Amino acid sequence: MDRDDDQDLLRAAAGMALEYAVTVDDRPAAPDAAALAGLAVFDEPLPATGAPAEQTLKLLHAAGSPATMASAGAHYFGFVIGATLPAALGASWLASAWDQNAALPAMSPAAARLHEVTRGWLLDVLGLPAGAAVAYVTGATMANAASLAAARDALLGRLGWDAQADGLFGAPAFDVVVGAGAHSTLRKSLGLVGLGRSRVHIVPTDEQGRLRADLLPDLPGPVLVCAQAGEVNTGAFDPFDDIADWLARRPAEAKGWLHVDGAFGLWALADPARRDRLCAGLDRADSWATDGHKWLNVTHDCGIAFVRDPAHLRHTFTAAAGYTPMGDTFDAMHHTPQSSQRARQVEVWAALRTLGRAGVADLVARSCDAATLIADRLRPELTVLNDVVLNQVLLRVDGPDGPDAAATSALIAEIQADGRIWCGGTQWDGAPALRVSVSSWKTGPDDAAFAADVILACAARVRAAA
Ligand SMILES: *Cc1c(COP(=O)(O)O)cnc(C)c1O
């Protein structure tokens, strides 16, 4: 291949990506049956000899693009999945062309500088302590795991145990406290760092899924408390001030570590109105986890861990044995579970620089306003189960005798079959519920009204068929 051929190939690829990006809202929110059947072209044996690159990329676009979920568009309301800001998508193209290994500044000066710049900007826009470390990982699951590993080592260190050197067998015990509404992956992260998915004290939650601080258990020793900003069904926030006060009141030897899983909810800190309403005490934690790929709308995969005292991350993740003093550069491989790593900060930088402080606040507020609009439009027909404080709406069909599980399940199936929007189901209070998440920068009031109309039309069809 010569340079001209390379250029032609990459220009063709860029053209296909561009075509996808600008037409995503013309696509159904979920692929139709023909598109799914088209995936069969991928089921070929490994070619004995290579195929032309351009033909390969064309096949990818022809069969792969139609079989994607249009989660990068305005009409996808499933799970909590962000779309992609054009600035982030463009930056990701450039970052892919750079193909930097962000493990060490020596491997990428550009990545190292953008890490330091985004560290400052993220702490600024979220109002977190200025000295905290920022570590980029694959998602909130790993951001939780990285934070919890640092917490584990810090708490065991205070008990005179070096978990990095000696592992967990025979280590002194400490207690782990989680709310009953903790995300399923928080428990997975606890299991991953050896603290156990089930060896936890589960604190009951209120009707919105908020941890009941008045029911925090009476425990003698140090504790690791895992709180949550943004319950995955309701968007509810735990009472951080009450939890931090409870920790502060404990005797010195029984204090602990407060971690907050804010995979999407942490971004409420960027919106002054929601910061005041939901986030009191959130900045008193020792560590926080969030996602860039959800509400900041950068591409997958981008998770972000914040740890108040950077020395804890360095102690846990340094690749040399034992504690190494902080140098004046940030070595990503010595502060994250990874060694080699993509420069995720490039897209975060592009998103934050393009949006600015006001733009991030507006992104959050617009999503929340769209969620409120959807809830208001649906309320006469469907039961809105949550206080819509954020970007999540939780809905159910109720009959004369209470929850109509069959009708709710039928409504979810009808919406997914309709295909103009996509949202998923969940279990709430022991019954099926429909979950609507507004996490795309593209979803404005018209899109919210459209989504509500589709849901109402589907509900009417379900009622007519019953
Ligand atoms: C999505 C989510 C996670 C997991 O995040 P990933 O980016 O998928 O790893 C954890 N906690 C909460 C509250 C979430 O919403």
Side-chain angles (χ1 to χ4, degrees):
M1 257 216 170
D2 64 23
R3 189 189 282 210
D4 286 346
D5 289 342
D6 287 353
Q7 269 206 40
D8 289 346
L9 175 71
L10 293 176
R11 196 164 284 124
M16 290 183 261
L18 192 59
E19 188 202 338
Y20 183 88
V22 300
T23 60
V24 64
D25 285 321
D26 306 333
R27 295 166 182 275
D32 58 21
L36 294 177
L39 288 171
V41 303
F42 291 131
D43 297 332
E44 53 181 352
L46 173 68
T49 56
E54 181 152 1
Q55 184 214 334
T56 297
L57 295 179
K58 279 184 173 154
L59 180 67
L60 186 62
H61 186 41
S65 293
T68 55
M69 304 295 285
S71 53
H75 299 149
Y76 182 87
F77 302 88
F79 305 95
V80 184
I81 294 184
T84 305
L85 289 160
L89 180 59
S92 89
W93 290 351
L94 200 51
S96 288
W98 290 353
D99 189 24
Q100 298 289 279
N101 185 344
L104 292 170
M107 295 175 179
S108 179
R113 184 62 59 92
L114 292 177
H115 180 279
E116 193 47 30
V117 170
T118 55
R119 187 187 76 85
W121 287 1
L122 286 167
L123 297 173
D124 183 349
V125 77
L126 298 175
L128 295 177
V134 166
Y136 290 103
V137 290
T138 52
T141 303
M142 283 310 296
N144 283 325
S147 304
L148 295 171
R152 173 201 64 197
D153 292 354
L155 291 176
L156 288 177
R158 278 189 236 156
L159 293 168
W161 187 269
D162 182 349
Q164 283 302 317
D166 300 322
L168 296 181
F169 295 115
F174 63 83
D175 288 298
V176 179
V177 173
V178 305
H183 196 263
S184 55
T185 61
L186 190 277
R187 303 278 282 275
K188 170 171 160 171
S189 301
L190 284 169
L192 181 64
V193 304
L195 295 175
R197 294 186 187 207
S198 303
R199 190 195 157 279
V200 290
H201 298 270
I202 299 174
V203 183
T205 44
D206 68 10
E207 77 294 341
Q208 295 294 318
R210 284 179 294 241
L211 183 151
R212 290 266 312 267
D214 57 315
L215 297 179
L216 279 161
D218 190 14
L219 300 164
V223 285
L224 166 57
V225 182
C226 304
Q228 181 168 259
E231 205 275 346
V232 79
N233 297 297
T234 64
F237 281 50
D238 284 346
F240 305 108
D241 255 337
D242 294 344
I243 298 168
D245 286 347
W246 176 83
L247 269 171
R249 276 197 306 273
R250 295 162 60 85
E253 69 283 2
K255 291 208 177 351
W257 183 292
L258 175 56
H259 171 71
V260 179
D261 175 7
F264 57 100
L266 205 70
W267 294 95
L269 285 166
D271 172 17
R274 278 171 190 86
R275 183 185 182 91
D276 289 349
R277 210 176 309 146
L278 298 169
C279 302
L282 180 44
D283 56 351
R284 293 170 65 186
D286 299 287
S287 57
W288 305 261
T290 195
D291 269 316
H293 56 226
K294 288 183 178 171
W295 221 347
L296 185 60
N297 279 245
V298 301
T299 71
H300 292 88
D301 48 12
C302 177
I304 309 168
F306 301 89
V307 176
R308 179 183 290 274
D309 181 350
H312 290 305
L313 269 185
R314 187 165 184 109
H315 170 79
T316 296
F317 292 114
T318 194
Y323 178 77
T324 318
M326 290 291 288
D328 43 5
T329 59
F330 178 90
D331 305 328
M333 69 169 286
H334 296 313
H335 293 80
T336 62
Q338 304 105 202
S339 177
S340 297
Q341 47 196 293
R342 180 177 175 82
R344 299 182 174 91
Q345 56 268 39
V346 177
E347 281 180 64
V348 171
W349 172 82
L352 291 177
R353 190 170 189 280
T354 306
L355 292 170
R357 191 192 307 281
V360 181
D362 185 58
L363 173 64
V364 171
R366 264 166 57 88
S367 302
C368 296
D369 290 349
T372 301
L373 190 153
I374 291 170
D376 289 347
R377 293 274 287 249
L378 296 179
R379 206 171 262 114
E381 283 297 319
L382 302 170
T383 304
V384 178
L385 296 165
N386 65 322
D387 298 337
V388 182
V389 294
L390 209 65
N391 60 332
Q392 305 291 114
V393 188
L394 192 60
L395 300 150
R396 191 173 66 202
V397 182
D398 279 339
D401 311 320
D404 188 337
T408 304
S409 299
L411 173 59
I412 295 165
E414 184 67 28
I415 293 167
Q416 293 181 358
D418 180 282
R420 284 177 291 166
I421 67 167
W422 202 92
C423 31
T426 186
Q427 286 285 316
W428 188 254
D429 246 352
L434 169 67
R435 200 162 68 115
V436 177
S437 174
V438 184
S439 308
S440 168
W441 67 279
K442 282 188 162 183
T443 305
D446 293 349
D447 306 295
F450 174 74
D453 288 345
V454 171
I455 293 171
L456 288 172
C458 290
R461 289 206 293 272
V462 166
R463 224 180 9 254

